[in-house]
Amino acid sequence: MSEQDLSIKDVRHIAKLSRLAPDDAAIESLRSSLSSILGHIAKLSTVDVAGVEPMAHPLAISNRLDADESGATLPIEMVLLNAPAKVDRFLAVPKVLDEGGA
Amino acid sequence: MNPKPHDCVGLRAIAAQVRTGAVTASARVANCLARIEAHESEIHAFNQVFAAEARAAAARIDACVARGENPGALAGVILAIKDNIATTLGRTTCSSRFLENYRSPFDATVIQRLLAAGAILIGKTNLDEFAMGSSTENSAFGTTRNPWDRTRVPGGSSGGSAAAVSAGFCDAALGSDTGGSIRQPASLCGCVGFKPTYGRVSRYGLVAFGSSLDQIGPFARDVRGCAELFEAFCGSDQLDSTTAPLEVPDCLTQLDEPLRGLRVGVPREYRSEANAPSVARVLEDAVAAYKSLGATIVDVELPLTDVGISTYYVIAPAEASSNLARFDGIRYGKRAEISAGEGLEELYAKSRSEGFGPEVLRRIMLGTYVLSSGYYDAYYNRALQVRRRIREEFDRAFAQCDVLLGPTSPMPAFEIGGKTDPWAMYLCDVYTVNTNIAGIPGISLNAGYAEERGALLPIGMQLQGPAFSEALLLRAARMLESARPPKYPS
């Protein structure tokens, strides 16, 4: 891991992967701040981690399963309480498929 | 500014007075609302104040008392709630434009437990957007100001909760701590802030930031208040599979009894040259206080202290980039307008870009980058390996001592607008992030003051303990508190 200077093209690619669309001014500001942060993060390469098992979580936990029983759920009007757009009992979204389907 | 000494009686003593009728919940709510009315326009601790709802809740408790019923262990205790914890009362905004009008259809588990104990919610407090920040300046709804000096930040991200407690707007508050977001603002505002062990408290209803790091915890004006609030809401929860299946610990019975033979470890790395002189002085005062209380001071080493920030700024953004993917503008939150010919992809990207502020954007992109193909091993996987080494380093230290003592923050409250470089802001949390990385508990309590240009600025000390050692940690904190009783702005 060496000093990491991102290009504008890199930043646009990361934005696309992140489902974000920053404007040109924001892209340049992100390029500069992300490059600087990655430069600081490079310090991680100074730590000897040979043979160390990665630790994703502080607790040694395994998945806990509930009993397979139905319980109370939110009423549909509560589920739709915050919907930006709805039609009857459904969330409205932009058309995903072309006419005739795909 | 004439700080008043505070007698550390906790919250149950308040509730006991409410239950006997010595004071009414209604009068207590009226007092808090009067303080809010007088000072909130300058402090801006709240995103919303529930004046009418709090009065109604207080009237219900008073009626309960009048009927001879028991309204609960925290009856009439007035709480402020960080605005990233779901409440059916009001909105839950995370101080983000994206969730500006979001109303939660459910209460977080901690809220359900506190309401059942008779607590009253007075409002939702300001934070750095989605809890990403150390100053509360990243809020979409304006900066919170420090009650000790209104030109300075309260710390963050739970700056609104810390400021509300210190300003006397409430008895206690809830915050969340992913890398220091309870402890650092508690230090800067001069109150007590406690991050329990990961797994001790249900995260159900806490808007997720870094799921392996996040933990809800209390703010109060004294250690006892924090311990009482913690006991009221901790414990396993069917709705959060990461809660540990352990009994609720008794943190209260022996809280005031000093620990005999306590070994206080002071890591060499916490006596850093980077500490402000006032912070270095308060640390040595705290060491002297523990010595005079009969504790043994142990020199320990935590050499990975200064790679904590680098480790954290890989793991936390990685988890955030995944958690914040849910904000897509479809089911709730902001939905941007799209033009003819644009589809779902554009809807997601526009809604997110319009809804998120610059720091949130930066962290999502940083997290996406460190998880992306070609960089995963060099950044994310390596950070997880360093994480295990940090945890092992704490384990070795706790073989030599019972608790670790050090500054919560390398500096007292800084001026609003004083830190513009992201990394300089991130370094505020150098002493707090490793607590979350290791998943252990930490508490910050006031231990002294700096005087800067006529303003008195509180300085907190942090104690950390082994996982699930809350009872011991709180008792050790209570010892320091008894030697350094807190004061609050009058």
Side-chain angles (χ1 to χ4, degrees):
Chain A
M1 216 186 311
S2 59
E3 182 84 15
Q4 193 70 51
D5 267 338
L6 298 174
S7 67
I8 291 285
K9 193 179 155 210
D10 294 332
V11 178
R12 288 197 197 284
H13 178 63
I14 304 165
K16 187 173 181 339
L17 293 176
S18 308
R19 300 293 183 269
L20 291 167
D23 61 27
D24 289 348
I27 289 274
E28 173 46 35
S29 156
L30 284 161
R31 191 200 63 74
S32 152
S33 64
L34 288 173
S35 297
S36 161
I37 291 166
L38 290 169
H40 290 291
I41 286 173
K43 203 174 197 173
L44 285 178
S45 63
T46 64
V47 182
D48 179 11
V49 294
V52 177
E53 183 72 15
M55 175 178 154
H57 203 272
L59 296 176
I61 50 166
S62 50
N63 280 333
R64 273 166 37 195
L65 300 178
D66 262 354
D68 188 14
E69 292 161 1
S70 62
T73 56
L74 286 175
I76 199 75
E77 57 272 21
M78 293 305 282
V79 174
L80 293 174
L81 181 68
N82 295 285
K86 58 190 168 189
V87 176
D88 301 329
R89 298 172 62 249
F90 301 98
L91 286 162
V93 297
K95 196 162 71 173
V96 182
L97 303 176
D98 290 331
E99 293 296 330
Chain B
M1 170 68 62
N2 293 308
K4 281 199 302 196
H6 171 73
D7 49 351
C8 300
V9 297
L11 304 171
R12 288 190 179 190
I14 295 170
Q17 289 191 315
V18 171
R19 284 197 303 268
T20 59
V23 63
T24 63
S26 298
R28 304 199 73 254
V29 165
N31 279 340
C32 283
L33 289 173
R35 267 192 89 81
I36 292 169
E37 176 72 33
H39 303 292
E40 168 64 0
S41 63
E42 292 172 53
I43 305 287
H44 183 37
F46 290 101
N47 285 340
Q48 299 162 87
V49 174
F50 302 138
E53 295 88 344
R55 284 193 197 98
R60 285 196 296 274
I61 285 167
D62 292 334
C64 197
V65 171
R67 288 194 302 269
E69 294 164 12
N70 181 358
L74 296 175
V77 168
I78 298 165
L79 300 180
I81 309 297
K82 188 177 185 181
D83 206 8
N84 62 347
I85 297 173
T87 54
T88 49
L89 190 55
R91 295 178 297 276
T92 299
T93 71
C94 295
S95 287
S96 177
R97 290 275 170 230
F98 198 98
L99 294 176
E100 198 166 4
N101 299 308
Y102 179 75
R103 303 185 73 89
S104 173
F106 61 90
D107 282 316
T109 295
V110 292
I111 298 293
Q112 291 175 31
R113 291 179 182 179
L114 291 168
L115 290 175
I120 296 170
L121 309 187
I122 195 87
K124 298 295 285 284
T125 58
N126 198 14
L127 62 149
D128 288 294
E129 185 178 2
F130 287 106
M132 296 180 186
S134 309
S135 69
T136 318
E137 292 168 293
N138 293 336
S139 166
F141 309 132
T143 301
T144 298
R145 293 170 182 272
N146 193 308
W148 291 84
D149 177 350
R150 290 160 197 191
T151 67
R152 292 172 192 266
V153 303
S157 66
S158 314
S161 287
V165 169
S166 289
F169 294 164
C170 52
D171 297 314
L174 292 188
S176 65
D177 190 314
T178 307
S181 279
I182 290 175
R183 293 160 287 155
Q184 185 255 13
S187 175
L188 271 48
C189 290
C191 56
V192 186
F194 177 36
K195 184 205 90 78
T197 306
Y198 184 90
R200 207 41 130 171
V201 178
S202 170
R203 293 180 294 113
Y204 180 71
L206 171 66
V207 177
F209 162 13
S211 298
S212 79
L213 305 160
D214 296 340
Q215 197 67 182
I216 293 174
F219 287 93
R221 287 160 87 87
D222 44 53
V223 173
R224 177 165 288 278
C226 271
E228 290 169 343
L229 210 51
F230 167 67
E231 259 205 46
F233 65 62
C234 77
S236 66
D237 179 13
Q238 190 77 5
L239 297 173
D240 175 2
S241 66
T242 63
T243 48
L246 298 171
E247 292 288 303
V248 172
D250 173 8
C251 298
L252 299 175
T253 310
Q254 294 183 295
L255 184 64
D256 291 326
E257 290 175 32
L259 287 148
R260 294 165 66 105
L262 178 70
R263 297 169 303 163
V264 176
V266 183
R268 176 190 297 180
E269 295 76 12
Y270 290 4
R271 287 174 155 140
S272 163
E273 302 250 310
N275 292 339
S278 55
V279 171
R281 171 179 52 79
V282 174
L283 170 59
E284 298 315 321
D285 285 354
V287 169
Y290 272 114
K291 269 186 194 162
S292 71
L293 290 165
T296 306
I297 305 299
V298 184
D299 290 322
V300 296
E301 289 187 359
L302 292 174
L304 293 174
T305 298
D306 76 340
V307 294
I309 294 289
S310 295
T311 310
Y312 180 83
Y313 277 93
V314 173
I315 296 172
E319 295 186 7
S321 72
S322 168
N323 274 323
L324 272 65
R326 76 193 59 183
F327 300 112
D328 55 9
I330 299 295
R331 291 150 299 159
Y332 49 78
K334 181 164 184 67
R335 184 183 287 193
E337 298 288 328
I338 52 170
S339 332
E342 292 183 328
L344 270 183
E345 289 274 327
E346 289 83 3
L347 178 75
Y348 298 150
K350 279 190 177 177
S351 300
R352 289 160 63 77
S353 301
E354 290 175 17
F356 296 149
E359 182 62 25
V360 174
L361 227 60
R362 179 156 45 234
R363 294 205 198 182
I364 290 173
M365 289 183 56
L366 183 58
T368 303
Y369 180 75
V370 299
L371 290 175
S372 64
S373 173
Y375 300 99
Y376 182 97
D377 283 336
Y379 289 105
Y380 184 63
N381 204 52
R382 176 169 277 269
L384 294 186
Q385 289 175 302
V386 177
R387 181 180 200 176
R388 183 171 302 279
R389 288 214 41 205
I390 289 171
R391 171 66 187 244
E392 290 169 352
E393 199 170 89
F394 275 116
D395 290 344
R396 280 194 296 277
F398 288 127
Q400 299 170 259
C401 63
D402 302 306
V403 293
L404 292 166
L405 169 69
T408 308
S409 159
M411 72 214 77
F414 48 92
E415 293 190 348
I416 291 169
K419 289 191 190 293
T420 48
D421 173 53
W423 196 260
M425 185 71 87
Y426 298 169
L427 288 176
C428 292
D429 296 328
V430 62
Y431 296 127
T432 50
V433 288
N434 283 353
T435 324
N436 303 70
I437 286 169
I440 60 175
I443 185 167
S444 175
L445 71 161
N446 183 260
Y449 299 86
E451 205 167 340
E452 286 188 26
R453 293 202 306 280
L456 208 55
L457 302 176
I459 293 173
M461 285 294 127
Q462 173 175 241
L463 292 169
Q464 298 169 96
F468 302 106
S469 69
E470 280 87 356
L472 178 121
L473 186 64
L474 288 160
R475 241 172 112 184
R478 177 69 192 115
M479 286 169 71
L480 180 59
E481 182 181 62
S482 66
R484 295 278 181 283
K487 296 180 270 194
Y488 288 97
S490 57

